[in-house]
Amino acid sequence: MKIAFPYMGTAPIALDALVRAIGADVVLPPKPTRATLELGARLAPETICVPFKVTLGNMVRCLEAGADTLVYVTGSWSCRFGYYGRLQSQILRDEGFQFRLLELRHDRIPAIVGEVRSLNRGRMSLAVINGLRAFRIGWLKSTAVDEVETRFRRSMPSALDPGACRRLFDSVLDELRTADGPAAIRRVRSSARRSFAALPRNGRTRTLRVKLVGESYCVVEPFINFDIVARLGEMGVLVDPFLTAHRWLGFHGFRLGKSEVKRMRKLSAPYWRYCVGGEDQNSVGQLLLAAQDGFDGVIHLHPFGCMPGTVVQPTMAKAAREADIAYLPLSLDEHSSETGILTRLEAFVSLLEKRRRGPQSRY
């Protein structure tokens, strides 16, 4: 069985290790590019969201590379994400591709266990052993990647040479990709801590802080958001995304972090009483939490045409005014221009610096 799954941020590093440990081969597509997006946009419905188009282009590349099984997390919740697997499969079969669709849903757990068993020569005992080993190695890689991403975000604004910081980050991720066991992962983590701590600093002591909220894929995937974390880091801004690839796997894959979801519901209740879909309620709650925690601003990313992301935008603007925190919404699609996004980011950072220097500054 040659398995492929949608590419999203750094999640493939852990998922690749997990699937291989279970006993299957993995076909990973190249990182998303403009060509991937154009391919997906050509096959997808015109008005569907940009994450759908990018992941559809990814899947075409995987099938062309030999994948015979496509794996999706699916469901019947309000965001279109839950339908990606079924809709993309229909489009790909109409294009003449032949493959198996494997849906990861709570009501299909017995079937998923059966698939794992078949990968282990039909022996349940071997499937259990390899399954536990897979989850351990996947979890260790995921937490290691999350730690490295955190160090990168914190180092960029104060790095004397942001380019060197970026090269170190990419190098450590490559090492984690090839780390073949718990001991190797621990060695990479220890080495990364020393390397990031040794980076020369630029002397900046008071860094602007921005919270990143919005639709999951737009927040986590650097190709879609024009590498916003690194770009703002180069401008001296520390970015704290409400969601990372590791946290996404925990939230949506294993239903972790329910207490945080409840906290966001309580915080957002005066402005947004019910979840319409996606990350709308989470975004309002995270904006208000960012104001309480002294962040300078909030950037809200969502796909153009995303219903939850669009309808919650006026409410977030109102909440930001009343909480006295700067707010920048960015709507993204295949026509978004890097120059246009960078111009808006530069203007937003200038605004934040002005607020810091102003007579009503909170600092």
Side-chain angles (χ1 to χ4, degrees), residues 1-4 19-20 22-27 66-71 100-102 111-112 114-120:
M1 185 184 294
K2 295 183 177 179
I3 287 178
V19 174
R20 288 184 193 280
I22 286 175
D25 291 330
V26 177
V27 178
D68 57 26
T69 304
L70 302 188
V71 178
R100 289 182 62 219
L101 170 64
L102 183 56
I112 295 166
E115 293 284 350
V116 176
R117 183 175 178 174
S118 69
L119 286 169
N120 290 274

Side-chain angles (χ1 to χ4, degrees), residues 74-234:
T74 64
S76 300
W77 56 89
S78 51
C79 178
R80 287 169 174 168
F81 174 81
Y83 304 96
Y84 275 20
R86 280 160 277 179
L87 187 51
Q88 290 192 358
S89 294
Q90 186 175 331
I91 292 171
L92 292 167
R93 287 184 174 129
D94 288 346
E95 290 294 314
F97 291 105
Q98 295 183 347
F99 56 90
R100 289 182 62 219
L101 170 64
L102 183 56
E103 296 182 63
L104 303 184
R105 295 199 316 251
H106 288 98
D107 60 338
R108 293 197 74 253
I109 287 178
I112 295 166
V113 171
E115 293 284 350
V116 176
R117 183 175 178 174
S118 69
L119 286 169
N120 290 274
R121 291 172 281 172
R123 293 169 55 187
M124 183 54 80
S125 57
L126 188 59
V128 170
I129 292 170
N130 283 339
L132 292 174
R133 179 169 160 265
F135 277 106
R136 184 183 181 218
I137 194 76
W139 180 257
L140 288 174
K141 283 208 175 191
S142 184
T143 52
V145 168
D146 203 49
E147 179 185 333
V148 171
E149 287 182 317
T150 301
R151 292 185 183 280
F152 170 66
R153 291 195 301 271
R154 291 177 179 171
S155 299
M156 274 295 278
S158 57
L160 182 62
D161 181 358
C165 185
R166 182 56 196 243
R167 289 191 292 277
L168 172 61
F169 176 58
D170 291 338
S171 166
V172 174
L173 290 185
D174 286 340
E175 291 179 40
L176 284 173
R177 274 190 197 92
T178 55
D180 57 2
I185 295 170
R186 282 194 291 272
R187 279 197 298 274
V188 176
R189 287 181 83 154
S190 298
S191 171
R193 287 173 196 146
R194 291 192 296 273
S195 299
F196 277 104
L199 284 172
R201 307 291 170 180
N202 57 19
R204 183 180 283 115
T205 54
R206 299 179 65 190
T207 305
L208 293 170
R209 295 195 304 148
V210 166
K211 193 82 176 180
L212 202 61
V213 303
E215 192 272 337
S216 304
Y217 196 88
C218 289
V219 170
V220 172
E221 175 51 54
F223 169 71
I224 287 290
N225 62 36
F226 298 97
D227 210 1
I228 192 169
V229 171
R231 294 306 182 100
L232 284 170
E234 291 167 358

